[in-house]
Amino acid sequence: MTERDPQADSLATGATPADIGAAVIARHLPTLPLGPGIYRMIDARGEVLYVGKARSLRKRVTSYTKTEALSVRIQRMVRQVATVEITTTHTEAEALLLEANLIKKLQPPFNVLLKDDKSFPYILVARDHPFPRITKHRGARDVPGDYFGPFASTGAVHVTLNAMSRAFPLRSCTDSEFASRTRPCLQYQIKRCKAPCVGRIDEADYAAIVDEARDFLSNRNRHVLEDWGRRMQAASDALDYEAAAELRDRIRALAHITQKQDINLSEIDDADVIAIHAEGGLVCVQIFFFRAGQNFGNRAYFPAHARDVEIDEVLDAFIGQFYATREPPRLILVNHAAENAPLIEEALSKHAGHHVELHCPQRGVKRHLVELAADNARDALRRRMAETSTQQQLLAGVAELFGLEAPPQRIEVYDNSHIMGRHAVGGMIVAGPEGLRKNAYRKFNIKGEDIEPGDDYAMMKHVLTRRFQRLLKEDAEDENAADWPDLLLIDGGKGQLSATLKVLEELGVDDVPVVGIAKGPDRNAGREQFFLPNREPFMLEPRHPVLFFLQRLRDEAHRFAIGTHRAKRAKDQIKSPLDEIPGIGAARKKALLLHFGSAKAVSRAGLPDLEGVPGVSKTVAKRIYDHFHGG
């Protein structure tokens, strides 16, 4: 007997798309374990739609088959499901950690997503030099030393380092500058460095100042100030007024640093303060960083896909993803009790290697901190809403100007860049109600025998053909997969508009509005002309807000295309003739250049010389020799 297909049965009975997806999920239920783990909902193209964790995989996944109880967002996800993949874990805490890592890596479209592609800066007190310096550090902690942070921004680090230089006169120069100096620099003259480069301070005394800086960054300010006070008094008693005055100035500088903190609480050592605020369908999460009792700044986040998700779920998702690649402090203060607080504490403690407490304070100083963070979250969200409102007004103006049925939700802007036809690239930028969508930008390498050098029209045809062929393919595979534009904005006049319309006609696309934007006489910005099919070119008033908006989009596309072109040109300029030889990788290329000094010298080398290069066999040497001598 042939096995029946639940999807075919559902289609035959007139079931909804969500019911069809639920039937696909139901097929997997008998094979799912009852234990903890994570599940991944996957569409027909193999793309991950959603990642979730579960204490019991079978019970959790079963809930997706009851479509009437699901939110609209999850129903949309279920209707696209083609298969379900699972990974079992020993504990629910392990599942939570794995879920957060996978969401951060895969960015599934139906999860609440933390858009955070930047690492936080730290202050590094290095240990790889007899006279170490204190510097800003971002990225992998591969330099030996002590790291203090994180700081919310690079600016916060620079302010702190600048203030510290008055109290702790340590060098800020690079190791190469240090080694090449023959006399003290300006930093010594203004008493912000002790000039160890020219022997004005010995290693032991310099190390003492480094230890004092570490004490300060570790919240041991009182110890440092008491020590300086005793030494200043001793210098004064010994009539060494110059040394006493120097210590006095350092005490004042250190006091200035601690007093400048907006919040500087002795009872808070290391903690992150997280507050969430929802309003108008948007969500903002504000996080403050306290390290060694000092406020290291704050940052606002606006999680994606949080519109129809409960605030507790958004907070849980944020905490999991934020700390997936960061070490959490011992205390995390929140303004809403997390739904799975014990589970989150267990997972973060396991990830950090020390106990992590998740606490929602109800009174006292800690409550004041979360209220401050909540106020900042509310203000940041309202600023974002105001910006979004302005953007919506501009999009409505675009719709009115170009006769669109509704304000465009996705505008695609195209531009090309090249020099005499060489290193030609096309750039596409995307804008919508939320502003520029930089994760949707695309670049196109333009090449083909049918494209004459410098033929801008052919280049635009090439770019648009590739773009819309892909959209048509995605649309054929899944009607919800293709992200079609509501408006095409082309950098160019009548010629570029005609080229664009011809591409769309050949591909059978007749429902995407196209507008060409060209600079006025003498390429005068502000006197742009707009070209539309079956309509005379026109201009807007120089101060028209929609004109400014469209200019910004055109300029952003121009910037993106030129940047891509320059990067490609720079890459081609550093290519070596050795790159064209099969079997010559980075290691052999380096060995050849070290041995001969240049690629030109390699091309002139004899076969015995090539065979003498470490790592180059006789076969490879013969291949190199033949490449340059036509063998």
Side-chain angles (χ1 to χ4, degrees):
M1 179 181 287
T2 328
E3 185 179 355
R4 296 178 65 84
D5 185 350
Q7 268 190 294
D9 291 344
S10 299
L11 286 169
T13 57
T16 66
D19 290 334
I20 297 172
V24 173
I25 294 172
R27 283 190 311 183
H28 293 79
L29 294 179
T31 63
L32 298 184
L34 291 171
I38 61 106
Y39 55 93
R40 297 181 293 282
M41 301 295 188
I42 300 174
D43 66 12
R45 297 177 300 152
E47 300 291 334
V48 177
L49 299 168
Y50 185 85
V51 176
K53 64 162 177 51
R55 181 181 302 173
S56 170
L57 283 167
R58 187 182 301 176
K59 290 181 180 178
R60 182 70 184 93
V61 176
T62 298
S63 67
Y64 291 97
T65 62
K66 303 170 183 176
T67 55
E68 68 282 353
L70 301 176
S71 67
V72 175
R73 177 175 64 95
I74 298 302
Q75 285 184 18
R76 285 179 52 229
M77 181 270 292
V78 168
R79 60 191 258 191
Q80 298 180 44
V81 173
T83 188
V84 181
E85 291 184 356
I86 66 161
T87 302
T88 59
T89 58
H90 291 96
T91 65
E92 192 180 0
E94 288 182 14
L96 178 63
L97 291 173
L98 181 56
E99 177 198 37
N101 280 309
L102 286 176
I103 291 173
K104 198 166 184 67
K105 177 182 178 182
L106 301 174
Q107 298 283 294
F110 289 95
N111 280 97
V112 176
L113 299 178
L114 168 60
K115 300 291 186 179
D116 176 28
D117 56 357
K118 293 182 180 178
S119 61
F120 288 95
Y122 286 75
I123 285 180
L124 167 64
V125 182
R127 294 182 181 271
D128 58 351
H129 195 279
F131 296 96
R133 62 181 182 141
I134 299 182
T135 59
K136 173 181 73 72
H137 181 88
R138 191 195 290 271
R141 300 189 187 185
D142 50 5
V143 178
D146 300 316
Y147 294 83
F148 299 92
F151 286 78
S153 66
T154 301
V157 175
H158 289 159
V159 168
T160 303
L161 288 175
N162 184 55
M164 285 183 64
S165 67
R166 300 173 184 272
F168 308 100
L170 302 173
R171 73 179 182 96
S172 58
C173 57
T174 64
D175 291 348
S176 59
E177 289 173 330
F178 180 92
S180 62
R181 291 216 68 86
T182 58
R183 59 181 181 178
C185 66
L186 178 62
Q187 294 297 311
Y188 174 77
Q189 306 296 335
I190 63 175
K191 300 183 179 180
R192 294 196 178 191
C193 179
K194 288 289 187 177
C197 53
V198 291
R200 298 295 173 91
I201 185 173
D202 61 31
E203 193 172 329
D205 289 342
Y206 188 90
I209 300 177
V210 172
D211 290 339
E212 290 168 351
R214 285 197 186 97
D215 286 344
F216 165 74
L217 291 168
S218 302
N219 199 28
R220 292 192 286 268
N221 304 342
R222 182 176 300 177
H223 166 73
V224 175
L225 287 170
E226 289 175 352
D227 180 54
W228 287 357
R230 287 193 298 268
R231 288 163 54 191
M232 181 179 68
Q233 187 61 49
S236 179
D237 293 343
L239 305 181
D240 187 354
Y241 298 118
E242 184 176 351
E246 180 185 342
L247 285 163
R248 178 204 61 202
D249 292 341
R250 292 177 66 188
I251 291 171
R252 288 177 178 173
L254 186 57
H256 176 74
I257 298 172
T258 55
Q259 289 170 3
K260 193 173 181 179
Q261 293 285 348
D262 295 329
I263 306 170
N264 191 11
L265 304 171
S266 57
E267 62 183 86
I268 298 286
D269 189 20
D270 288 357
D272 287 346
V273 182
I274 300 175
I276 186 169
H277 182 78
E279 188 176 335
L282 298 175
V283 175
C284 176
V285 180
Q286 187 82 215
I287 179 166
F288 278 75
F289 305 96
F290 289 87
R291 295 297 182 270
Q294 300 176 56
N295 179 11
F296 279 7
N298 60 296
R299 185 179 290 185
Y301 293 90
F302 302 90
H305 313 306
R307 181 180 296 273
D308 59 347
V309 181
E310 293 297 326
I311 197 167
D312 294 341
E313 185 181 341
V314 177
L315 183 60
D316 286 5
F318 174 86
I319 293 173
Q321 293 176 53
F322 185 80
Y323 293 111
T325 54
R326 301 178 178 92
E327 181 179 339
R330 296 182 181 275
L331 176 63
I332 300 173
L333 302 177
V334 293
N335 69 329
H336 279 269
E339 183 179 0
N340 298 304
L343 177 63
I344 294 173
E345 286 182 343
E346 181 185 351
L348 293 183
S349 299
K350 183 173 183 178
H351 172 59
H354 58 71
H355 178 67
V356 176
E357 178 187 358
L358 196 64
H359 181 49
C360 181
Q362 301 302 313
R363 63 183 65 86
V365 173
K366 293 178 181 177
R367 180 63 187 176
H368 168 69
L369 288 180
V370 296
E371 288 175 349
L372 175 70
D375 289 343
N376 278 267
R378 183 195 63 236
D379 293 343
L381 184 59
R382 289 179 179 174
R383 287 193 298 271
R384 171 63 68 93
M385 291 170 67
E387 293 169 0
T388 303
S389 176
T390 302
Q391 188 80 358
Q392 289 285 13
Q393 292 175 7
L394 290 170
L395 293 174
V398 169
E400 182 180 356
L401 178 67
F402 298 137
L404 307 181
E405 294 180 357
Q409 302 301 296
R410 180 184 175 96
I411 301 176
E412 293 185 357
V413 191
Y414 292 85
D415 191 15
N416 300 326
S417 182
H418 61 91
I419 294 180
M420 301 297 291
R422 300 189 61 220
H423 307 110
V425 296
M428 177 193 85
I429 71 150
V430 180
E434 69 277 27
L436 296 173
R437 296 171 52 183
K438 296 197 174 183
N439 61 336
Y441 286 18
R442 295 292 181 269
K443 57 186 178 182
F444 303 84
N445 287 319
I446 299 174
K447 50 188 177 182
E449 296 179 358
D450 57 334
I451 301 176
E452 294 291 333
D455 188 344
D456 288 323
Y457 301 147
M459 292 179 185
M460 185 62 74
K461 287 180 180 178
H462 175 87
V463 169
L464 292 170
T465 299
R466 287 175 55 187
R467 169 62 180 155
F468 280 88
Q469 281 180 341
R470 181 179 182 85
L471 282 175
L472 290 168
K473 181 180 177 182
E474 291 176 350
D475 205 41
E477 294 174 350
D478 184 347
E479 62 179 7
N480 297 303
D483 207 348
W484 285 87
D486 300 310
L487 175 67
L488 289 188
L489 192 62
I490 307 298
D491 184 20
K494 186 176 180 180
Q496 288 289 25
L497 176 66
S498 298
T500 301
L501 293 174
K502 185 175 181 181
V503 169
L504 297 181
E505 182 182 356
E506 290 173 352
L507 295 175
V509 177
D510 57 4
D511 57 351
V512 178
V514 184
V515 175
I517 176 172
K519 289 184 178 178
D522 300 323
R523 300 191 61 79
N524 181 17
R527 301 298 296 164
E528 279 80 2
Q529 284 188 306
F530 295 95
F531 295 81
L532 282 77
N534 306 316
R535 185 170 169 183
E536 288 297 319
F538 63 92
M539 294 187 294
L540 295 176
E541 298 176 5
R543 296 183 181 276
H544 199 294
V546 174
L547 174 61
F548 288 146
F549 175 62
L550 295 172
Q551 284 174 338
R552 289 200 304 271
L553 295 186
R554 188 269 318 278
D555 293 344
E556 172 66 6
H558 191 57
R559 179 203 64 80
F560 181 64
I562 286 181
T564 305
H565 162 74
R566 286 174 177 167
K568 183 179 180 182
R569 192 175 68 205
K571 184 177 179 180
D572 287 348
Q573 285 174 346
I574 62 173
K575 280 186 176 179
S576 166
L578 302 178
D579 295 328
E580 301 172 5
I581 307 174
I584 301 299
R588 282 176 174 159
K589 178 181 173 182
K590 182 178 180 180
L592 288 164
L593 293 175
L594 287 174
H595 188 86
F596 292 104
S598 67
K600 189 173 183 180
V602 175
S603 68
R604 293 175 175 175
L607 189 58
D609 296 325
L610 291 169
E611 292 174 354
V613 177
V616 176
S617 64
K618 290 185 177 181
T619 302
V620 174
K622 182 69 163 58
R623 188 182 306 148
I624 297 170
Y625 184 83
D626 290 344
H627 176 80
F628 288 114
H629 296 84

